[in-house]
């Protein structure tokens, strides 16, 4: 039972039970509640948020996590009388949390509309069910983010749509341009908007009239033209004009349409810009011979676009396996279902990392593993020791490897022939013998010998009887 106010300096260290009790005392002081507002337990902070003696500034900080408790605080009516602009001290996070509640009283909406943070006012402007008067007021807000939020509301009276379509800020006009209920004359005004981002928004509309397409087809902004070029419903003359545009961004976008003439594909393959050839590589109807040629393209951009596909012919994969970029070859080396020719090409890769990734493939086969077991790099040879079924001959080769790290790895292999255990148990490297001692399939005489090992760790491991491998 708490009989007096605890020291505010110790409140955050107070146990949960004691803190909950302190936050429930009817006459708890503002200092006590302020201290408890930083308690690590959420239940304590929630109780502080609901206490009528909690200071307004503390309530504002707690509102982000506990909006219901703050809104239901019985002390709020008196606080509002004392401080008419009470919500003005609430941080933006707290106010937006209050606005996210399904039912919010009008005085909170009023406070949000006067809040100095435009993010709060924008959150209010996006709230469903606002009255017409509030929406109209927010449409004239000084913050463009607020007006943009109004422009995105599902339902707006036509006068407001027209007002926002003439807004000084292009982001507001862009939001208007995406509205499905845009009047035809307003749409045609936005087609000639001074800012390209607005015209590009118009160019995305599914219901774009034919005359607007023709107007946008003569646009000077490459981004607008590229947006238009991606449409599947362009008139033939507009599509052909965009496919041969001087800007590569536009030509690449024209290749992203669902259906294009075969002559375009042939022309795009020889385009001077790699971004156009990369767009060609991403087309679902790119035929195998074309993909094979693009996989050997001089541009890294094109080769990476080919790499994104999951339907490459063997010749294309083989070209990528010989790519100058290490990460492309690594990607190929870890891919599923590689053809034998690709595996053989990767075996000769000059990069140790590629050969190491290759060594742990389950489909490599014992012949290729034997070649990697003789690799000049010990990292590759050690990777072979982790292969699932390298075969007895490869395991014997690795057990005699000059590198102790390789021998340590092979000493723990689950399929290690028992004939190799005595040799490895007598290895000069302590780590190799420790790996052998950890096996659970050691013959008794081998385990006994390791129990007399010169290294204490090896003896202790052998005496424990071994573990699963």
């Amino acid at each position: 039972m708490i009989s007096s106010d605890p020291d505010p300096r110790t409140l955050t260290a107070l146990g949960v039970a004691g803190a909950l009790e302190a936050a429930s005392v009817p006459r708890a002081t503002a200092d006590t509640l302020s201290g408890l507002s930083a308690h690590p337990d959420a239940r304590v902070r929630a109780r502080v948020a609901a206490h009528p003696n909690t200071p307004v500034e503390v309530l504002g900080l707690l509102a982000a996590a506990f909006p219901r408790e703050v809104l239901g605080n019985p002390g709020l009516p008196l606080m509002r009388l004392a401080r008419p602009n009470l919500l003005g001290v609430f941080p933006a996070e707290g106010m937006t949390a209050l606005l996210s509640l399904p039912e919010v009283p009008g005085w909170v909406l009023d406070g949000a509309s006067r809040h100095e943070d435009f993010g709060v006012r924008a959150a209010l402007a996006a709230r469903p069910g606002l009255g017409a008067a509030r929406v109209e007021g927010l449409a004239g807000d000084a913050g463009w983010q607020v007006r943009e939020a109004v422009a995105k509301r599902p339902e707006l009276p036509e006068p407001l749509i027209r007002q926002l379509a003439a807004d000084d800020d292009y982001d507001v006009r862009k939001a208007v341009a995406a509205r499905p209920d845009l009047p035809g004359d307003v749409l045609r005004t936005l087609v000639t908007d001074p800012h390209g981002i607005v015209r590009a928004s118009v160019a995305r509309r599914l219901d774009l009239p034919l005359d607007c397409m023709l107007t946008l087809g003569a646009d000077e902004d490459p981004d607008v033209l590229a947006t238009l070029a991606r449409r599947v419903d362009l008139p033939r003359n507009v599509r052909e004009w965009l496919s041969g545009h001087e800007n590569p961004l536009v030509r690449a976008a024209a290749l992203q349409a669902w259906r294009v003439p075969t002559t375009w594909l042939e022309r795009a393959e020889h385009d001077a810009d790699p971004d156009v050839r990369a767009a060609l590589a991403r087309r679902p109807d790119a035929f195998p011979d074309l993909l094979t040629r693009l996989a050997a393209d001089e541009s890294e951009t094109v080769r990476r676009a080919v790499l994104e596909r999951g339907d490459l012919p063997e010749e294309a994969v083989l070209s990528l396996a010989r790519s100058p970029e290490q990460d492309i070859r690594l990607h190929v080396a870890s891919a599923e279902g590689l053809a034998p020719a690709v595996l053989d090409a990767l075996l000769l890769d000059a990069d140790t990392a590629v050969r190491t990734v290759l060594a742990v493939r389950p489909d490599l086969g014992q012949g290729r593993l034997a070649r990697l077991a003789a690799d000049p790099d010990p990292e590759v040879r050690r990777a072979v020791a982790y292969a699932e079924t390298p075969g007895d001959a490869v395991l014997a080769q690795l057990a005699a490897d000059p590198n102790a790290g390789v021998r340590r790895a092979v000493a723990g292999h689950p399929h290690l022939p028992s004939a190799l255990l005595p040799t490895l148990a007598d290895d000069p490297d302590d780590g190799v013998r420790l790996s052998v001692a950890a096996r659970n399939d050691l013959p008794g005489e081998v385990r006994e010998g390791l129990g007399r090992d010169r290294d204490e760790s090896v003896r202790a491991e052998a005496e424990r009887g071994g573990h699963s491998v």
Side-chain angles (χ1 to χ4, degrees), residues 369-400:
L369 283 172
R371 292 171 60 182
L372 291 175
D375 196 278
D377 195 294
E379 288 288 345
V380 178
R381 303 197 302 272
R382 184 177 67 169
V384 176
Y386 293 118
E388 292 183 9
T389 55
D392 290 354
V394 170
L395 290 172
Q397 182 178 347
L398 296 173

Side-chain angles (χ1 to χ4, degrees), residues 67-68 70-72 76 80 87 95 98-99 101-112 124 127 130 134:
R68 292 186 182 277
V70 169
L71 203 56
L76 274 183
R80 288 174 55 203
L87 294 178
M95 284 300 302
L98 292 179
L99 291 173
L101 295 176
E103 297 182 3
V104 178
W107 67 269
V108 174
L109 302 179
D110 290 338
L124 174 64
R127 182 180 169 83
L130 281 184
R134 292 189 192 279

Side-chain angles (χ1 to χ4, degrees), residues 200-331:
S201 182
V202 174
R204 293 187 186 95
R205 294 183 63 93
L206 294 179
D207 60 349
L208 190 63
L210 179 59
D211 63 300
C212 293
M213 292 185 193
L214 297 175
T215 300
L216 291 172
D219 203 285
E220 296 182 354
D221 190 314
D223 289 324
V224 176
L225 293 176
T227 303
L228 187 68
R230 296 185 185 96
R231 298 185 65 96
V232 299
D233 56 351
L234 284 178
R236 182 185 297 272
N237 60 334
V238 177
R239 186 183 302 282
E240 290 178 351
W241 149 247
L242 295 176
S243 71
H245 196 273
E246 63 180 10
N247 190 293
L249 174 67
V250 181
R251 298 198 304 275
L255 284 173
Q256 296 175 27
W258 288 358
R259 301 181 187 89
V260 298
T262 304
T263 54
W264 290 19
L265 303 181
E266 296 171 352
R267 182 174 62 193
E269 181 183 357
H270 302 290
D271 197 285
D273 193 279
D275 287 328
V276 177
R277 303 195 302 276
L280 176 62
R282 295 187 179 98
R283 285 194 59 84
D285 57 353
F287 46 89
D289 289 347
L290 173 60
L291 291 174
T292 298
R293 293 194 295 271
L294 293 174
D297 195 277
E298 64 181 12
S299 169
E300 178 183 348
T301 299
V302 180
R303 295 194 300 273
R304 290 191 182 280
V306 174
L307 185 66
E308 297 171 5
R309 301 183 66 103
D311 58 348
L312 294 178
E314 178 182 330
E315 294 79 4
V317 179
L318 185 58
S319 292
L320 293 174
R322 294 168 175 160
S323 180
E325 292 80 25
Q326 181 210 45
D327 64 315
I328 291 181
R329 303 196 310 277
L330 283 171
H331 185 95

Side-chain angles (χ1 to χ4, degrees), residues 375-428:
D375 196 278
D377 195 294
E379 288 288 345
V380 178
R381 303 197 302 272
R382 184 177 67 169
V384 176
Y386 293 118
E388 292 183 9
T389 55
D392 290 354
V394 170
L395 290 172
Q397 182 178 347
L398 296 173
D401 196 278
N403 187 281
V406 178
R407 300 196 306 277
R408 291 177 187 179
V410 78
H413 199 284
H415 301 304
L416 188 70
S418 58
L420 298 176
L421 291 174
T423 301
L424 291 171
D426 195 38
D427 196 278

